Amino acid sequence: MPKQLSALFVASFLVNLANAAISTMLGILIATGGGSQGDVSFIAAAYSIGFGLGCFAAPNLARRSGVIRTYAAAAAIATITIIGLEALDNTLAWAALRFVMGAAIATVLAVSDTWINYEAPKDRRGQVIALYSIVLGLASIGSQLVFLWMGSDAESLILYFAALMNIAVAVIAVTKSEQPVLPPATSAKITLNIPSPTAGAGAFVSGFSATSIISVLPFYLTSHGLSVSLVAIVIMLLYGGRLFAQWPVGILSDRVDRRLVIISLAIPAILVMIAAAVIGDGEGRAFSGAQGSAVQVLAFLAPFLCGAAIFPLYSVSSALAFDRAADGTTTEVSSTLLLLYSIGSVVGPTAVMIASTAIGDYALQACVGAANLALIIVAFSRLSRIKAPEDPSPSVPVPENSLKMVQEAGNISEEEVQDATPGS
C-alpha cells in the first residue's frame, strides 16, 4: 500500500465500520421496539435513494470544494445523522436521517475511490484497489464484534459510532497526502448504454438482493428469537462469504461463460431463501442447536453461502457488460450499471415492504428468491441465442461496491483517450 494512502485507508475503515454497525443496529432496535418488517424496509429504501443521489452529486462537490474538504464534510454529516438517530425515535425521522446518511456515505466512497486511483501507481493499481476492498470488508466484519461483546447493550454505543466518524474526519484533515486535482467536468452528457441484458439484470438483482438482505435480516432474525450476539455472528458470516468468494468468483468468470457464473450465483441465493422459508420461525432453535448439530451447522453455513452468492454478482455482471461494450463506451456502460444497481437497491426493500403486508415474515425470502429466479431466466434465454465472446476481457477485482466499478471504468476511458492522443 502506498504510504500516502495510509490515512485514507484508516479513515475509510472507521467510516465503514460505523456505517455497517448502524445498519445492523437499526434492524435490531426496530425488532425489539415492536416495529414491522415494513418499517425497516422503508428506512433501507430511503438510505438507498440517498446513496444513489450521493453517487452522482459527489464528483461536482469534489471539484468545487476539493477532495479532502468533501470527504471531511461528508463524514461529518454522517456523524450528525448518527446523533440524530440517537435523539429521535420514529420511523419517518429515521428514514430521513438514513437518506442523508446514504448520500454522505456514497460521497465518502466516491471520494475515496478517486483519491486511491490518483495516488496508486499505475502498475499496482489493481492490487491497491483489491486491498482497499479487503479493508472495507474487514471493517464490515469487525463492526459485528461490538454486538458479540455487548449483546443487547450494544445500542448504548451508538454515540461511539458517531465518534468513529469524527475520528475519520480528523485523520483526513491532518493527512500529509496531496489531494487529487480533479479536471473540470465536460459539457458532454453521458448517455445510458447496456450492451448485455444479462449484465443489466445482474446489476439490478445485485442491488435488490444485497440491500434487502443486509437491511432486513437483522430485524428478521431478532424478531424470530435470535439473541443479539447470534445476529451479529450471522451478519459476520454473510460478510465473510463475500470476502471468501470475491477473488475465486472473479477468476472463474474469466475462464467460463460469465452468464453461467451468474446463474451459478443466483441458484444458491434461491436455495438459501427457500431454506429460510421452510425453517419459518424456527431460526432461534436452528442456530442454538436445539434441532441438532447437523441443522445448526447448516444454519450457520447458509448466511456464508448467501454472502458468497449475492455480493460478487455485481462485478461479474460488470465484466460481462464490458465484454460486450463498444470501444470508447465504458463510461456510459458503467454509469448505466450503477444506475441499475441503485434502482435495485431501492426497489428491493420497497418490494419487501409491500410484500410484508400480504405474506408477512416470508416477504424477504419471496422477493429475493423471485428476483434471482428472474435473473436465471434472463441468463438462460440469452445463453440459448447469443454466444459468449471468444476473447473476453479480464475481470476486474470484485469491488466492495458499485462505485469502484465506475471508477475503474473511468480509468479505462482515460487510458483510451491518452492512447488516442497524438504524441502520447
Side-chain angles (χ1 to χ4, degrees):
M1 178 182 67
K3 188 175 182 180
Q4 61 270 30
L5 288 175
S6 57
L8 178 63
F9 274 50
V10 170
S12 297
F13 177 89
L14 295 174
V15 168
N16 201 59
L17 188 151
N19 185 50
I22 290 294
S23 298
T24 300
M25 181 171 290
L26 285 179
I28 294 173
L29 289 176
I30 293 171
T32 55
S36 68
Q37 191 165 264
D39 293 335
V40 72
S41 299
F42 175 62
I43 293 171
Y47 176 87
S48 296
I49 294 173
F51 191 93
L53 293 176
C55 291
F56 292 100
N60 287 333
L61 289 174
R63 288 188 182 96
R64 185 176 67 236
S65 303
V67 168
I68 290 180
R69 289 178 178 175
T70 301
Y71 188 108
I77 290 172
T79 302
I80 295 171
T81 62
I82 295 175
I83 296 173
L85 292 172
E86 167 70 11
L88 302 174
D89 189 19
N90 66 80
T91 301
L92 188 60
W94 280 6
L97 289 169
R98 284 295 279 173
F99 169 85
V100 175
M101 191 172 184
I105 295 299
T107 301
V108 166
L109 292 174
V111 169
S112 298
D113 294 338
T114 301
W115 202 338
I116 287 171
N117 281 277
Y118 175 82
E119 293 283 4
K122 188 174 181 179
D123 60 342
R124 290 192 291 133
R125 182 174 292 158
Q127 299 175 44
V128 174
I129 292 174
L131 178 60
Y132 179 61
S133 296
I134 292 172
V135 167
L136 295 187
L138 291 175
S140 298
I141 294 175
S143 67
Q144 306 307 304
L145 294 176
V146 175
F147 301 98
L148 290 177
W149 172 40
M150 296 289 292
S152 59
D153 294 331
E155 64 181 87
S156 63
L157 297 179
I158 189 168
L159 294 181
Y160 288 89
F161 299 138
L164 290 179
M165 291 282 188
N166 259 346
I167 293 173
V169 173
V171 169
I172 288 298
V174 300
T175 181
K176 296 180 180 179
S177 176
E178 182 180 351
Q179 67 174 338
V181 178
L182 302 182
T186 61
S187 58
K189 294 183 178 179
I190 297 177
T191 58
L192 300 181
N193 185 338
I194 186 66
S196 167
T198 304
F204 174 86
V205 172
S206 175
F208 186 107
S209 300
T211 305
S212 298
I213 291 173
I214 287 296
S215 58
V216 177
L217 190 59
F219 167 89
Y220 179 85
L221 296 176
T222 302
S223 63
H224 282 195
L226 267 71
S227 66
V228 173
S229 297
L230 276 177
V231 172
I233 291 174
V234 171
I235 302 301
M236 287 178 68
L237 288 170
L238 193 71
Y239 287 130
R242 171 177 62 187
L243 281 180
F244 175 81
Q246 281 184 337
W247 200 261
V249 168
I251 294 174
L252 179 63
S253 72
D254 288 338
R255 297 179 178 176
V256 302
D257 192 321
R258 299 194 205 276
R259 293 168 296 184
L260 291 174
V261 177
I262 288 174
I263 292 170
S264 69
L265 293 175
I267 290 175
I270 293 174
L271 293 177
V272 171
M273 293 301 107
I274 293 174
V278 170
I279 293 175
D281 59 358
E283 281 90 352
R285 296 191 302 275
F287 280 101
S288 66
Q291 295 181 340
S293 58
V295 174
Q296 186 180 31
V297 170
L298 290 175
F300 282 111
L301 180 62
F304 184 87
L305 181 62
C306 186
I310 64 172
F311 286 107
L313 177 59
Y314 182 85
S315 73
V316 178
S317 300
S318 299
L320 175 61
F322 291 142
D323 287 343
R324 305 285 187 183
D327 292 341
T329 64
T330 52
T331 301
E332 289 82 358
V333 170
S334 62
S335 297
T336 304
L337 290 169
L338 173 61
L339 178 62
L340 290 171
Y341 180 93
S342 300
I343 292 174
S345 297
V346 176
V347 173
T350 303
V352 174
M353 177 177 63
I354 296 172
S356 65
T357 62
I359 56 179
D361 283 349
Y362 298 101
L364 176 63
Q365 298 95 314
C367 290
V368 173
N372 280 273
L373 179 59
L375 175 60
I376 290 174
I377 293 173
V378 171
F380 266 126
S381 67
R382 299 296 293 178
L383 269 171
S384 63
R385 293 187 289 130
I386 307 295
K387 292 183 178 180
E390 294 182 2
D391 186 22
S393 58
S395 176
V396 298
V398 180
E400 176 75 14
N401 52 65
S402 54
L403 291 171
K404 289 181 180 55
M405 186 62 70
V406 174
Q407 187 63 48
E408 276 300 294
N411 294 332
I412 296 172
S413 298
E414 181 182 345
E415 291 168 7
E416 288 175 351
V417 172
Q418 290 176 349
D419 292 341
T421 302
S424 63

